[in-house]
Amino acid sequence: MNEKELIDRLKLKPHFENGLYSEQNFVNEKAKRKSSGAIYYYVRKNEKSRFHKIDSDEYWLFHLGSDLEIWIIYPNHKVVVKKCGLGKNASPIVYVPKGSIFASKHTNAKEGTLVTCLTVPAFNKASFKIYNTNELKKRYKELKKF
Protein backbone atom coordinates (compact mmCIF):
# COMPACT_ATOMS: atom_id res chain seq x y z
CA MET A 1 0.00 0.00 0.00
CA ASN A 2 1.45 3.37 -0.93
CA GLU A 3 1.17 6.56 1.13
CA LYS A 4 -1.85 7.94 -0.74
CA GLU A 5 -3.74 4.65 -0.36
CA LEU A 6 -2.96 4.60 3.38
CA ILE A 7 -4.16 8.20 3.82
CA ASP A 8 -7.37 7.45 1.91
CA ARG A 9 -8.01 4.09 3.62
CA LEU A 10 -7.67 5.54 7.14
CA LYS A 11 -9.28 8.90 6.24
CA LEU A 12 -6.28 10.79 7.60
CA LYS A 13 -6.35 14.58 7.81
CA PRO A 14 -3.79 17.21 8.93
CA HIS A 15 -3.01 17.21 12.65
CA PHE A 16 -2.26 20.39 14.63
CA GLU A 17 1.01 18.81 15.89
CA ASN A 18 2.07 18.05 12.26
CA GLY A 19 1.53 14.73 10.54
CA LEU A 20 -1.86 13.26 9.73
CA TYR A 21 -4.45 11.58 11.95
CA SER A 22 -7.90 10.13 12.31
CA GLU A 23 -9.70 9.75 15.60
CA GLN A 24 -10.82 6.27 16.64
CA ASN A 25 -13.86 5.90 18.89
CA PHE A 26 -13.81 2.38 20.25
CA VAL A 27 -14.92 3.12 23.83
CA ASN A 28 -18.70 3.21 24.17
CA GLU A 29 -19.11 5.41 27.24
CA LYS A 30 -21.40 8.30 28.04
CA ALA A 31 -19.03 9.96 30.54
CA LYS A 32 -17.90 13.56 29.95
CA ARG A 33 -14.38 12.23 29.50
CA LYS A 34 -13.96 8.69 28.24
CA SER A 35 -11.59 6.29 30.02
CA SER A 36 -9.40 6.10 26.89
CA GLY A 37 -9.09 7.44 23.38
CA ALA A 38 -6.99 6.75 20.31
CA ILE A 39 -5.89 8.17 17.00
CA TYR A 40 -4.12 6.72 14.02
CA TYR A 41 -1.14 9.03 13.60
CA TYR A 42 0.93 9.11 10.43
CA VAL A 43 4.23 10.98 10.34
CA ARG A 44 5.45 11.49 6.79
CA LYS A 45 9.12 10.96 5.92
CA ASN A 46 11.37 13.80 7.13
CA GLU A 47 8.57 15.17 9.33
CA LYS A 48 8.67 16.05 13.02
CA SER A 49 5.80 16.57 15.38
CA ARG A 50 5.64 19.61 17.62
CA PHE A 51 6.57 19.44 21.30
CA HIS A 52 3.44 19.27 23.41
CA LYS A 53 2.04 18.17 26.76
CA ILE A 54 -1.23 16.48 27.70
CA ASP A 55 -2.80 15.36 30.98
CA SER A 56 -3.11 11.70 29.96
CA ASP A 57 -0.71 8.79 29.80
CA GLU A 58 -0.02 8.05 26.15
CA TYR A 59 1.02 4.79 24.49
CA TRP A 60 2.53 4.82 20.99
CA LEU A 61 1.77 1.53 19.19
CA PHE A 62 3.83 0.95 16.05
CA HIS A 63 2.13 -0.43 12.93
CA LEU A 64 4.32 0.14 9.88
CA GLY A 65 7.06 2.25 8.31
CA SER A 66 10.37 3.44 9.67
CA ASP A 67 11.24 3.84 13.34
CA LEU A 68 10.32 7.08 15.09
CA GLU A 69 12.24 8.76 17.86
CA ILE A 70 10.03 10.03 20.66
CA TRP A 71 11.77 12.81 22.57
CA ILE A 72 10.41 13.02 26.11
CA ILE A 73 11.04 15.70 28.73
CA TYR A 74 9.80 14.15 31.95
CA PRO A 75 8.23 16.28 34.72
CA ASN A 76 11.54 15.95 36.64
CA HIS A 77 13.23 17.63 33.56
CA LYS A 78 15.11 14.50 32.50
CA VAL A 79 15.28 14.21 28.69
CA VAL A 80 15.05 10.72 27.16
CA VAL A 81 14.81 9.58 23.54
CA LYS A 82 12.90 6.34 22.91
CA LYS A 83 12.55 4.60 19.56
CA CYS A 84 9.14 3.35 18.49
CA GLY A 85 9.35 0.63 15.86
CA LEU A 86 10.98 -2.71 15.15
CA GLY A 87 14.56 -1.61 14.47
CA LYS A 88 17.64 -1.87 16.65
CA ASN A 89 17.05 -0.50 20.18
CA ALA A 90 13.39 0.17 19.32
CA SER A 91 10.18 -1.05 20.88
CA PRO A 92 6.80 -1.44 19.14
CA ILE A 93 5.16 0.14 22.23
CA VAL A 94 6.44 3.34 23.84
CA TYR A 95 4.92 4.81 27.00
CA VAL A 96 4.86 8.58 27.63
CA PRO A 97 3.66 9.50 31.14
CA LYS A 98 1.13 12.28 31.64
CA GLY A 99 2.64 15.70 32.27
CA SER A 100 5.66 15.00 30.04
CA ILE A 101 6.54 17.28 27.13
CA PHE A 102 7.19 15.23 24.00
CA ALA A 103 7.56 15.17 20.22
CA SER A 104 8.51 12.67 17.52
CA LYS A 105 10.84 12.62 14.54
CA HIS A 106 11.98 10.11 11.96
CA THR A 107 15.17 8.11 12.25
CA ASN A 108 15.31 7.54 8.49
CA ALA A 109 13.90 9.43 5.55
CA LYS A 110 12.81 6.50 3.35
CA GLU A 111 9.17 6.25 4.40
CA GLY A 112 6.53 7.53 6.76
CA THR A 113 5.41 5.84 9.96
CA LEU A 114 1.96 4.78 11.15
CA VAL A 115 1.26 4.43 14.87
CA THR A 116 -1.75 4.41 17.13
CA CYS A 117 -1.57 6.92 19.96
CA LEU A 118 -3.66 5.59 22.83
CA THR A 119 -4.43 8.00 25.68
CA VAL A 120 -5.63 7.04 29.16
CA PRO A 121 -7.91 8.80 29.99
CA ALA A 122 -9.08 10.14 26.61
CA PHE A 123 -7.40 13.24 25.17
CA ASN A 124 -8.66 16.53 26.61
CA LYS A 125 -8.02 19.46 24.27
CA ALA A 126 -8.49 21.92 27.16
CA SER A 127 -5.31 20.57 28.81
CA PHE A 128 -3.27 20.42 25.59
CA LYS A 129 -0.27 22.75 25.33
CA ILE A 130 2.18 23.23 22.44
CA TYR A 131 5.75 24.37 23.17
CA ASN A 132 8.18 26.40 21.09
CA THR A 133 11.00 24.04 20.07
CA ASN A 134 13.62 26.81 19.95
CA GLU A 135 12.74 27.88 23.49
CA LEU A 136 12.99 24.29 24.70
CA LYS A 137 16.39 23.89 22.99
CA LYS A 138 17.70 26.88 24.98
CA ARG A 139 16.57 25.23 28.21
CA TYR A 140 17.50 21.60 27.40
CA LYS A 141 20.88 21.08 25.70
CA GLU A 142 19.92 17.47 24.90
CA LEU A 143 17.38 18.74 22.35
CA LYS A 144 19.99 20.22 20.01
CA LYS A 145 19.85 17.05 17.86
CA PHE A 146 16.07 17.23 17.50
Side-chain angles (χ1 to χ4, degrees):
M1 179 179 307
N2 67 34
E3 184 175 80
K4 183 181 179 333
E5 291 170 330
L6 177 71
I7 291 167
D8 291 345
R9 164 85 166 77
L10 298 178
K11 298 176 177 68
L12 301 173
K13 58 188 178 187
H15 195 287
F16 45 85
E17 294 170 19
N18 288 335
L20 303 169
Y21 84 108
S22 71
E23 193 169 345
Q24 303 304 303
N25 293 311
F26 57 85
V27 178
N28 188 14
E29 296 175 335
K30 293 183 181 178
K32 271 188 175 180
R33 187 169 184 190
K34 294 180 179 184
S35 59
S36 63
I39 62 169
Y40 289 128
Y41 185 53
Y42 183 68
V43 183
R44 293 168 284 211
K45 62 182 178 181
N46 295 320
E47 193 169 38
K48 297 178 184 179
S49 69
R50 298 169 70 188
F51 277 97
H52 60 286
K53 178 168 69 171
I54 61 174
D55 68 347
S56 303
D57 289 330
E58 186 164 321
Y59 299 86
W60 289 58
L61 310 169
F62 178 81
H63 296 296
L64 58 89
S66 61
D67 292 351
L68 278 178
E69 290 180 345
I70 302 175
W71 292 63
I72 306 167
I73 304 169
Y74 289 92
N76 67 2
H77 303 288
K78 182 178 180 181
V79 177
V80 174
V81 180
K82 294 184 176 185
K83 283 188 181 180
C84 185
L86 298 174
K88 184 177 180 181
N89 300 318
S91 173
I93 301 173
V94 172
Y95 167 67
V96 179
K98 70 180 177 180
S100 298
I101 300 168
F102 60 102
S104 66
K105 82 171 204 177
H106 273 284
T107 58
N108 102 33
K110 292 182 181 178
E111 59 190 344
T113 303
L114 177 66
V115 296
T116 291
C117 294
L118 174 68
T119 56
V120 180
F123 174 76
N124 175 12
K125 192 164 186 170
S127 71
F128 177 80
K129 181 176 180 183
I130 289 205
Y131 290 81
N132 180 299
T133 301
N134 291 329
E135 291 298 317
L136 288 175
K137 285 181 178 182
K138 290 177 189 175
R139 186 168 177 195
Y140 299 98
K141 295 173 189 158
E142 302 92 336
L143 299 182
K144 288 187 179 174
K145 294 182 181 180
F146 182 81

